[in-house]
Amino acid sequence: MPLGRVVIYARDVEETARFYERHFGFAATRVPGDRIVELVASDGGANILLHQAAKGQRGGQSVVKLVFDVEDVELFCRQRAEDGLDFGPIHKADGYLFANEKDPCQNPISVSSRAFRKSD
């Protein structure tokens, strides 16, 4: 059973929607009367549901990290830096690269080439 959606509780739903649209190619869909903004993945991957965070909810207090599969991590990070998103250092792991950052809600995100690594 594939993972279909991930919920992010956002202090600023619109800012968070723009972040994922701009940097990761999601398309925001809004239904009149619905409090949730659904970010639809352009490649058929899992969608993100943005829900207004409760006033007492602290940002960045998650135990989940969103990982986006990117074949060329270095190129992706360079392109995002030109668009104002700095992932910082690129790390080498067992046959793949990854880099970390946070979204506007301070949730951890990562881009990783793990899905594209070659088997020996």
Side-chain angles (χ1 to χ4, degrees):
M1 178 181 309
L3 176 66
R5 289 166 194 80
V6 174
V7 176
I8 293 177
Y9 293 94
R11 289 194 190 275
D12 187 330
V13 170
E14 292 304 318
E15 177 187 25
T16 305
R18 286 189 301 272
F19 175 86
Y20 285 102
E21 285 177 307
R22 180 177 179 182
H23 296 297
F24 295 97
F26 283 83
T29 60
R30 295 164 179 83
V31 176
D34 189 358
R35 297 182 311 153
I36 293 175
V37 173
E38 184 160 1
L39 300 175
V40 179
S42 62
D43 60 1
N47 290 349
I48 298 172
L49 301 180
L50 298 178
H51 189 289
Q52 183 65 51
K55 290 183 182 183
Q57 188 171 353
R58 294 173 56 195
Q61 296 285 311
S62 66
V63 293
V64 174
K65 179 190 282 188
L66 300 179
V67 179
F68 296 92
D69 294 332
V70 176
E71 193 163 3
D72 188 334
V73 171
E74 292 170 325
L75 175 62
F76 182 88
C77 289
R78 268 196 316 276
Q79 291 171 334
R80 293 300 92 215
E82 291 170 5
D83 202 25
L85 178 63
D86 182 12
F87 272 85
I90 295 173
H91 305 279
K92 293 184 180 187
D94 297 324
Y96 65 96
L97 301 175
F98 70 95
N100 298 307
E101 180 54 297
K102 292 190 178 189
D103 73 7
C105 304
Q106 298 305 301
N107 295 305
I109 59 173
S110 182
V111 291
S112 169
S113 63
R114 180 183 175 91
F116 302 98
R117 67 182 172 175
K118 308 282 190 270
S119 305
D120 292 334

